[in-house]
Amino acid sequence: VNLFAVLQNQSQLGRWYYQYYQEQSAEYIMFVVFCGMLAMMLIYISLKFVQIRSVEYAYYAGYVLCFLFYFLILTEFLQTSGINQTPWVVYYAINISQVLAYCCYFPFFRKFLDIGKTMPRLDSVMRGFTWLVLAYCLIDGVLFFLPSTYPLRWMLWDGIRVGLIVFSVGVLVAVARLSTPFMRYIMAGSLAIVVFGLAAMVFSYWPELIERLPVPLNFPLFYFQL
């Protein structure tokens, strides 16, 4: 009976390990494919900037570079170097890279749609909000060296994420009346960022909502990648 129990436990352990291996492999493949897409996009946008010398392509290249750094940190690519294990990366850079991405995207948005000419007031608001987000990055960098402020940093991080989502929705509503071909692409992409970014944030706080779904639908970051 004891031998049977041991064999049964080993069988259960084997099934558990196989399921764990499948999930880890699926997650790794998902990250590799997505980082490859970002890398190709970065190369293309950078070459367009060299060819056209238009500043909005430089902003968009910075936007893609921030997210490429963020997702590379989350994969095993940088584990051998130990970069993604340093306190500066774990407790500062990995979050700030997401925020800095928006600091690059907002100027791209303004320049690409020429908001300064069509909607000068919105252009000023977006410029001011970008500086506000940059100020947050600087303040959080200072608080990083003060361990006792960690709860405050967490509250500020949640606040800036919610603020970015709310502000992005407000901007999309404001520019919805611009019926240009470029605007349709920008609206579709920006709306996807808002919706799926919010979904990823909700699922990261309440993972039980998706834990029974098949791979990769049970990973909160998958929705952010979408």
Side-chain angles (χ1 to χ4, degrees), residues 17-192:
Y17 179 78
Y18 180 70
Q19 181 180 2
Y20 173 78
Y21 176 77
Q22 281 187 315
E23 292 180 354
Q24 292 296 309
S25 298
E27 183 178 12
Y28 184 72
I29 292 173
M30 181 179 67
F31 276 108
V32 169
V33 171
F34 187 74
C35 288
M37 292 170 59
L38 287 180
M40 288 188 291
M41 186 186 299
L42 179 62
I43 294 172
Y44 173 75
I45 294 297
S46 300
L47 291 176
K48 290 293 289 185
F49 171 72
V50 173
Q51 179 186 20
I52 301 177
R53 299 289 182 179
S54 187
V55 67
E56 57 260 36
Y57 288 102
Y59 286 130
Y60 199 84
Y63 169 74
V64 176
L65 183 61
C66 287
F67 276 122
L68 181 60
F69 170 79
Y70 171 74
F71 284 104
L72 283 177
I73 288 295
L74 296 181
T75 64
E76 297 181 0
F77 290 119
L78 299 180
Q79 283 187 359
T80 55
S81 64
I83 295 177
N84 61 342
Q85 302 298 324
T86 59
W88 180 80
V89 170
V90 174
Y91 297 108
Y92 180 73
I94 196 169
N95 287 341
I96 293 302
S97 61
Q98 302 175 62
V99 177
L100 287 177
Y102 288 96
C103 292
C104 295
Y105 187 78
F106 288 146
F108 159 76
F109 188 95
R110 290 171 38 236
K111 295 292 183 180
F112 195 72
L113 295 179
D114 205 8
I115 298 296
K117 292 182 180 179
T118 57
M119 307 180 72
R121 181 174 298 179
L122 178 63
D123 184 73
S124 299
V125 172
M126 293 187 69
R127 190 184 299 112
F129 188 80
T130 303
W131 282 109
L132 177 65
V133 175
L134 287 172
Y136 160 78
C137 296
L138 179 61
I139 293 172
D140 192 62
V142 174
L143 295 179
F144 168 75
F145 296 99
L146 304 173
S148 60
T149 62
Y150 181 79
L152 174 62
R153 291 183 63 213
W154 190 256
M155 292 176 57
L156 291 174
W157 166 239
D158 284 339
I160 199 69
R161 287 200 294 176
V162 173
L164 283 169
I165 292 175
V166 173
F167 182 77
S168 298
V169 171
V171 170
L172 292 179
V173 172
V175 301
R177 62 183 180 85
L178 298 176
S179 57
T180 63
F182 289 140
M183 189 59 216
R184 298 189 186 99
Y185 289 106
I186 294 293
M187 285 287 290
S190 300
L191 188 61

